[in-house]
Amino acid sequence: MTTTLQLTDVRKTYSSGHLEVEALRGITMSVDEGEYVAVMGPSGSGKSTLMHILGCLDVPTGGTYELAGTDVSRMTEAELAEVRNRRIGFVFQGFNLLPSMPAWRNVELPLVYAGVHRDERRRRAIAALEKVGLGDRVAHRPGELSGGQQQRVAVARALVTDPALILADEPTGNLDSRSSADVLALFAELHESGRTVMLITHEPEVAAAAQRVVRIRDGLIDQRVAA
Amino acid sequence: MNLVETFRTALEAIRSHRLRSTLTMLGILIGIAAVILTVGLGQGAQVQVREEISKLGSNLLIVQPGSATSTTGVRGGRGSSSTLTVEDAEALQSKEVAPDVKRVAAVSSTSTSLTAGTTNWTTTVNGTTPDWEQVRARSLSAGRFIAQADVDDARPVVVLGADTVAELFTRGQAVGQTVTINGSTFTVIGVLKAIGSSSDTSDDDLAVVPRTTYAARVSTGGLRLSVSTIYLEAQSQGALSAAYQEANALLLTRHGVAAASADFSITSQQSLLKTATSTDQTLTILLGGVAGISLLVGGIGVMNIMLVSVTERVREIGLRKALGATPSAVRRQFLVEASSLGATGGLLGLGLGVVGALVLPHWLDQPVTISPLAAVGAVVVALAIGITAGVYPAGRAARLAPIDALRND
Ligand SMILES: Nc1ncnc2c1ncn2[C@@H]1O[C@H](COP(=O)(O)OP(=O)(O)O)[C@@H](O)[C@H]1O
Ligand SMILES: [Mg+2]
């Protein structure tokens, strides 16, 4: 199996003014292609920071992150944009939907930047919404949808480009147990279809669905349980 | 993302903030309309002045007695006691001495009373030659002008201005009737076509008689050989300055004076035109400057709104970047947004300007001319303002890191 993600001694220090916060203090880990990994850890331990680096939304202040063998710190802004667009589907902790646009327009957004033709975009966006069980809600705006439905729109947006890597930051955090189950079923399905799936969760039953659990504490991998 | 998509996204953003976009465009709109109208007013005034002056006659030089620059008090002011004579006028007709002078019309004039039946009217009576008609670019609405035979025989005939006819003859044809000037009876042989001068000394209220008749019957005293104005028509527009030089040299020689103490002055319609248009141009530049400042303020408005828009849409920009928007795609989107605001404001401003150009003349009694160049220029300027105002905000948006924009707190 080829290694899709390789983190080597990754550090991230946030500095606001003279205040410095070490969110990640040397993470070394790898995730193989097609793996289903759950990331757990207390609040403020650096899980979101790690996810953002993996998703090329942020850059580490130390160490290296290689994505399919390429050091992302060597990539230009435009190349990173393309990686985010073509290879990664990110499900944010908040839903991050544009409130003025109907569900299908939110879902087609990555395809706009991928240069896909308009009709094709609409077709694929609706197909993705059908896949998450929202075929009858394509024209609804986020405000007209429940939390679980909004999260499913966000998942549809993450998979519409058919990316190899799906990253999700607490995708069930704001959901009731039924919606949670729906969303988790979706990730299981994505994993079965061969994608690499990585998600952050607090809930043990969510983590149980994954092949592997990585525990983070104070910006470090918790060695007591790490495999 | 291609250009069509960029435009669609930008227009969507403009539409979703309808009130704000409208107010922003209003700034540009008013600025452009103000510039178009002030420039149009200036150009309209220039056209008016040019028409006014060209009515005086084409390629015209006007020789008047006295010096415009005299400060000595030795010579009289312009026209007070004439230093120009009929001989001067005849000498100017010489093709050898003044080849660039085409026609010469010497005029002696006085203000006097005309009587037709029981009606009195005081006007300027001019004694001149047949060439006056061409030199002054006049034509007749009835009858004929003075002929050489009228001059040779000093016939008691008169040609009247349109306004003079209206004052003297309330009914019927003027031509063929008689008027009394200075105790002599004159026959009206022609009526000049009105030229509708807006100046106070109307070109439509006058009487023209043969020079010889004027000397014999109208003028009094010993100034019979002096003339009040000599009108010269140059061979062409290009010959105007040559004609000026020839006339000036000839008259200096004839009067035996140096150029510095010339007892006459020559003005051209060209110099009148230049003075008049440069005055108007100054005004146009001044007003245009004020309007330009309002346009600048409009541009600053666009920039301000774009900056607000970037700040307000940090989340949206971050999300778009997280989903794969490149910095240049983001920059383009905001540039297109700003320039669309500018161009739309410009087009609407042009519309308002055109409406103003149609409506304003009714109130101002001033023509407003909008040239296609000014119209196209206005829209281009508005577009340029939009782009300029968008550069900085767009750059800021493009530099936003996706993660800074997406933070949940
Ligand atoms: N932009 C930031 N500036 C300063 N500190 C930050 C920033 N983002 C996160 N942190 C800090 O980094 C640490 C890890 O945060 P985060 O990765 O969000 O944790 P988690 O997702 O596990 O709750 C926290 O102490 C948090 O306060
Ligand atoms: Mg978090």
Side-chain angles (χ1 to χ4, degrees), chain A:
Chain A
M1 261 203 268
T2 57
T3 302
T4 55
L5 311 177
Q6 175 66 53
L7 296 174
T8 314
D9 194 30
V10 163
R11 294 165 185 277
K12 179 73 188 181
T13 309
Y14 292 110
S15 47
S16 42
H18 48 269
L19 209 76
E20 296 215 326
V21 180
E22 272 197 294
L24 298 179
R25 302 192 291 152
I27 300 260
T28 301
M29 68 177 277
S30 60
V31 178
D32 290 334
E33 198 176 308
E35 252 195 305
Y36 187 174
V37 180
V39 178
M40 295 189 81
S43 185
S45 57
K47 306 184 297 294
S48 290
T49 305
L50 175 67
M51 267 322 207
H52 292 150
I53 286 171
L54 289 172
C56 296
L57 297 171
D58 209 350
V59 284
T61 45
T64 54
Y65 167 36
E66 282 169 54
L67 178 65
T70 312
D71 185 351
V72 298
S73 67
R74 296 236 175 83
M75 292 190 198
T76 64
E77 272 273 359
E79 283 167 342
L80 285 173
E82 193 180 326
V83 167
R84 291 195 288 263
N85 186 241
R86 306 277 163 101
R87 292 161 72 175
I88 301 170
F90 207 105
V91 182
F92 302 93
Q93 193 165 5
F95 311 124
N96 275 322
L97 300 174
L98 294 179
S100 63
M101 290 183 176
W104 77 270
R105 291 287 312 277
N106 268 286
V107 174
E108 70 152 8
L109 217 46
L111 298 178
V112 170
Y113 295 105
V116 177
H117 187 265
R118 209 168 175 227
D119 300 333
E120 168 81 357
R121 289 204 306 263
R122 191 185 159 85
R123 195 185 59 70
R124 278 169 69 176
I126 289 170
L129 281 166
E130 274 164 359
K131 196 165 179 176
V132 299
L134 288 176
D136 54 345
R137 297 283 192 278
V138 291
H140 287 57
R141 282 166 209 280
E144 300 158 358
L145 296 171
S146 73
Q149 287 169 331
Q150 288 183 52
Q151 190 65 298
R152 279 189 279 163
V153 173
V155 173
R157 184 178 62 192
L159 54 85
V160 75
T161 53
D162 200 15
L165 174 62
I166 306 254
L167 301 170
D169 191 349
E170 300 195 34
T172 60
N174 304 317
L175 303 185
D176 57 82
S177 55
R178 250 210 62 189
S179 305
S180 255
D182 286 349
V183 170
L184 283 177
L186 271 169
F187 284 114
E189 211 177 293
L190 287 168
H191 164 60
E192 263 148 44
S193 68
R195 269 96 165 181
T196 311
V197 178
M198 215 170 150
L199 57 78
I200 295 175
T201 185
H202 284 300
E203 295 148 79
E205 56 269 40
V206 174
Q211 292 174 309
R212 178 154 72 105
V213 176
V214 173
R215 290 179 192 276
I216 308 258
R217 184 180 295 274
D218 293 332
L220 287 169
I221 295 201
D222 196 335
Q223 296 299 336
R224 286 172 300 178
V225 264

Side-chain angles (χ1 to χ4, degrees), chain B residues 84-94 104 106 211 224-227 230 250-251 254-255:
Chain B
L84 294 174
T85 63
V86 173
E87 283 80 26
D88 286 336
E90 277 162 2
L92 284 165
Q93 259 159 343
S94 157
V104 179
R211 176 174 62 75
R224 293 189 172 181
L225 289 179
S226 73
V227 295
I230 301 174
L250 176 70
L251 291 174
R254 282 186 56 84
H255 295 190

